[in-house]
Amino acid sequence: MKARIHITLKSGVLDPQGKAIQSSLGALGFNGIENVRQGKYIELDISQDDQAKARDQLIQMCEKLLANTVIENYTIDLET
Amino acid sequence: MKARIHITLKSGVLDPQGKAIQSSLGALGFNGIENVRQGKYIELDISQDDQAKARDQLIQMCEKLLANTVIENYTIDLET
């Protein structure tokens, strides 16, 4: 089963990467770009056919390794 | 208008970050995880109400700054 995980900074947490992208875009002449936030995107295959079990396992993976839950949120999408 | 951009490595391009995540997950006892690939996820607000024009501008932004099109693919989602 294919899983897609998005890890984003919580709102209110400063995002220097996003700010750098925003100012670089401005320097390149792209105007009207605001609130740039950069996150991580992880794709993986999980050999678990039960969707609920797969989701549980992915939540554990996010909590233990993939996301820093103090400053980051994560969302999990499972492809059926 | 809110835009979401995914930047992923082209298939065939080695992904050391993905490999590192995969082996770390294995070491933590998560089994059956394969083909881990890490990409970037960028959210931004674009002050352009015409959807076609906004998409054109985002394509230019990806080609010129956000993605390395030699090794990366990008997808653009616009929230209407």
Side-chain angles (χ1 to χ4, degrees):
Chain A
M1 194 183 292
K2 199 167 194 70
R4 295 189 172 82
I5 300 166
H6 287 89
I7 297 163
T8 49
L9 284 169
K10 289 184 179 177
S11 62
V13 178
L14 205 69
D15 181 358
Q17 272 185 305
K19 288 279 173 228
I21 292 170
Q22 188 165 332
S23 69
S24 298
L25 287 173
L28 284 172
F30 294 103
N31 299 313
I33 308 296
E34 282 185 348
N35 301 324
V36 182
R37 306 281 286 174
Q38 177 165 352
K40 281 178 278 186
Y41 171 63
I42 297 169
E43 284 180 342
L44 54 83
D45 292 333
I46 181 165
S47 63
Q48 170 64 263
D49 293 330
D50 184 305
Q51 190 144 356
K53 281 186 194 164
R55 187 171 290 276
D56 279 352
Q57 208 173 344
L58 289 162
I59 289 171
Q60 288 300 314
M61 285 162 46
C62 286
E63 295 280 340
K64 285 191 184 163
L65 179 74
L66 302 177
N68 176 353
T69 53
V70 177
I71 55 166
E72 291 172 327
N73 290 323
Y74 58 87
T75 58
I76 294 166
D77 298 299
L78 275 171
E79 202 170 78
T80 44
Chain B
M1 194 182 293
K2 197 165 196 70
R4 294 188 172 83
I5 300 166
H6 287 89
I7 297 163
T8 49
L9 284 169
K10 289 184 180 177
S11 61
V13 177
L14 205 69
D15 181 356
Q17 272 185 306
K19 288 280 172 225
I21 292 170
Q22 189 165 332
S23 70
S24 298
L25 287 172
L28 285 172
F30 295 104
N31 300 312
I33 309 295
E34 283 184 348
N35 301 323
V36 182
R37 307 280 286 173
Q38 178 166 354
K40 282 178 276 188
Y41 172 63
I42 297 169
E43 284 180 342
L44 55 83
D45 291 334
I46 181 166
S47 62
Q48 170 63 264
D49 292 330
D50 184 306
Q51 190 142 355
K53 280 186 194 163
R55 187 171 289 275
D56 278 352
Q57 207 174 343
L58 289 162
I59 289 172
Q60 287 301 314
M61 285 162 46
C62 286
E63 295 280 339
K64 285 191 184 162
L65 179 74
L66 302 177
N68 175 353
T69 54
V70 177
I71 56 167
E72 291 173 327
N73 290 324
Y74 58 87
T75 58
I76 294 166
D77 298 299
L78 275 171
E79 201 169 78
T80 45

